[in-house]
Amino acid sequence: MGSLFCAAQKKKKKKPETEEPVMGGETEVGQGQDWDKAGPLLPQDKEIEAAIKIQAWWRGLLVRRTLLHAALRTWIIQCWWRGVMARGLAKRRRAMLLLYSREERAVVKLQARVRMWRIRRCFCRARAAACIIQAYWRWYTDRTRKSDSKHTPAEQLEIDIKILV
């Protein structure tokens, strides 16, 4: 691609400084005139300029395509990295949640055991007190029953009978 452009530049620089007849009898370059500011272009020069424009367009297209591919690859890498970071964050959150739930479960169990121990201690005290009260009550009722009874059974009487013959 570059060979046509280089050949065109070499041709332009090697133009003779003498006047040559061109189409229509006009001179292209006169003495003391600049080559770039010359009159009408030859059909050859138009083809070279068209080729140069096509080459510039093609190079621009290649550059834009390369930049687009680079941008897409960058975007893909960024999406992948964001996914990695999101998965890592989710993993850390899950680990923290599990740790928190274990700690909470341990605290709840400990609190339940302490409450159970306190209630059991209170229950044992109440049961011991009830046993004492029941023992005194039984003793009292038994004693009052014996003293309040009007008829005493024969088994309870201690009689000493002596029979003399």
Side-chain angles (χ1 to χ4, degrees), residues 26-40:
E26 298 176 7
T27 60
E28 188 175 342
V29 179
Q31 287 188 357
Q33 290 182 343
D34 229 342
W35 171 250
D36 294 335
K37 297 178 183 177

Side-chain angles (χ1 to χ4, degrees), residues 3 41 48 79 92 99 109 123 162:
S3 62
L41 297 175
I48 291 172
C79 288
R92 284 192 302 276
L99 179 66
K109 280 186 179 182
F123 170 74
K162 293 182 183 180

Side-chain angles (χ1 to χ4, degrees), residues 16-32:
E17 293 183 11
T18 58
E19 294 183 13
E20 293 181 10
V22 186
M23 296 168 76
E26 298 176 7
T27 60
E28 188 175 342
V29 179
Q31 287 188 357

Side-chain angles (χ1 to χ4, degrees), residues 77-138:
I77 291 169
Q78 287 173 347
C79 288
W80 169 78
W81 182 248
R82 285 186 198 116
V84 167
M85 295 302 285
R87 284 188 293 275
L89 180 64
K91 191 175 180 179
R92 284 192 302 276
R93 281 184 181 168
R94 182 168 171 78
M96 292 302 292
L97 181 63
L98 286 173
L99 179 66
Y100 175 76
S101 65
R102 283 184 192 146
E103 289 175 355
E104 283 293 313
R105 208 174 303 132
V107 167
V108 168
K109 280 186 179 182
L110 186 62
Q111 287 174 348
R113 297 263 171 120
V114 168
R115 282 190 200 114
M116 183 184 70
W117 175 74
R118 290 176 68 194
I119 290 171
R120 183 174 170 80
R121 189 175 63 174
C122 183
F123 170 74
C124 288
R125 285 180 186 163
R127 185 178 62 186
C131 287
I132 292 171
I133 291 170
Q134 285 175 355
Y136 278 113
W137 180 255
R138 286 183 190 131

